Amino acid sequence: MTRITDPPSLCAALQATLLTMLLSMFIAMPARCADASVDVVAKAIQKEGATKVKAVHLTYTHGTATDDYTLEEILPDRLHMIRTTAGHTLELIAVSPTTYTRWDGGAWTSSPMAKAAADMSAITGVLLQGMTLVKELPITIKAGKKQRNFSGNMAWTNHGSEHRGKLSISIASVSRLPISLAFTGTCSGAPCSFQQTFSYDPSIKIEAPAP
């Protein structure tokens, strides 16, 4: 049976949220000027990165392939990720000092958990460089709560390939945390998009799998 592996993304997932994992790819971008709207977005992402308990759902499409991720994280060293791709499911649980993985509901394997500090200031700087023509849209209300909405262009290069498109983000007016994030554009010349939602339930628990 063919297994789909992605060690760089897997290691990044152990360090931070999927948002961080995506933004960490945005390298070698030309310097751009940040405006007030970009500052609001950057501060929201920085706050999300520092929030102790969070959950993320991400759907990423590149060409005809789609990856689906769900992730729960308890800082500083607990994470539960499920990734479905090409008809297979990878499940990962990280509880310091061990990472447990399994494919398609099979037997768990374990390995030492990689540790690396997430540099949120660097990630925020990447976002400031990559987003241009950012504007704030009208405030909306969902589930009785106000949210601020922003949209702009996003461009970056990865291993010499260009990626560019439109990025939108919704931020809770009261907590100032991200609620949703969406990107549509092209990656290495092929259509790509992702949709990501965030939640912050303090009751989330992550434990090592039963032996």
Side-chain angles (χ1 to χ4, degrees), residues 154-159 161-165 183 186-189 192:
M154 188 73 193
W156 72 98
T157 59
N158 187 31
H159 300 295
S161 297
E162 291 189 354
H163 310 286
R164 60 182 65 250
F183 173 84
T186 58
C187 301
S188 303
C192 66

Side-chain angles (χ1 to χ4, degrees), residues 94-130:
V95 177
S96 183
T98 305
T99 297
Y100 306 87
T101 57
R102 67 176 178 177
W103 282 96
D104 300 325
W108 290 98
T109 60
S110 62
S111 61
M113 187 174 80
K115 291 186 178 181
D119 186 348
M120 288 308 301
S121 61
I123 293 165
T124 302
V126 161
L127 181 66
L128 291 173
Q129 289 180 319

Side-chain angles (χ1 to χ4, degrees), residues 72-112:
E72 296 176 334
E73 184 178 18
I74 302 174
L75 296 179
D77 54 10
R78 290 181 181 241
L79 181 143
H80 183 200
M81 183 184 76
I82 299 175
R83 176 191 180 192
T84 302
T85 180
H88 297 290
T89 298
L90 168 66
E91 185 173 8
L92 177 150
I93 297 176
V95 177
S96 183
T98 305
T99 297
Y100 306 87
T101 57
R102 67 176 178 177
W103 282 96
D104 300 325
W108 290 98
T109 60
S110 62
S111 61

Side-chain angles (χ1 to χ4, degrees), residues 37-95:
S37 294
V38 175
D39 187 55
V40 172
V41 172
K43 286 181 178 178
I45 289 177
Q46 190 172 31
K47 186 175 182 180
E48 186 274 341
T51 299
K52 182 176 181 180
V53 183
K54 70 202 91 176
V56 174
H57 179 253
L58 169 74
T59 301
Y60 172 67
T61 300
H62 182 223
T64 59
T66 298
D67 285 4
D68 185 86
Y69 297 83
T70 59
L71 180 143
E72 296 176 334
E73 184 178 18
I74 302 174
L75 296 179
D77 54 10
R78 290 181 181 241
L79 181 143
H80 183 200
M81 183 184 76
I82 299 175
R83 176 191 180 192
T84 302
T85 180
H88 297 290
T89 298
L90 168 66
E91 185 173 8
L92 177 150
I93 297 176
V95 177

Side-chain angles (χ1 to χ4, degrees), residues 52 63 66 139 156 168 195 203 208:
K52 182 176 181 180
T66 298
I139 289 176
W156 72 98
S168 63
Q195 296 80 40
S203 67

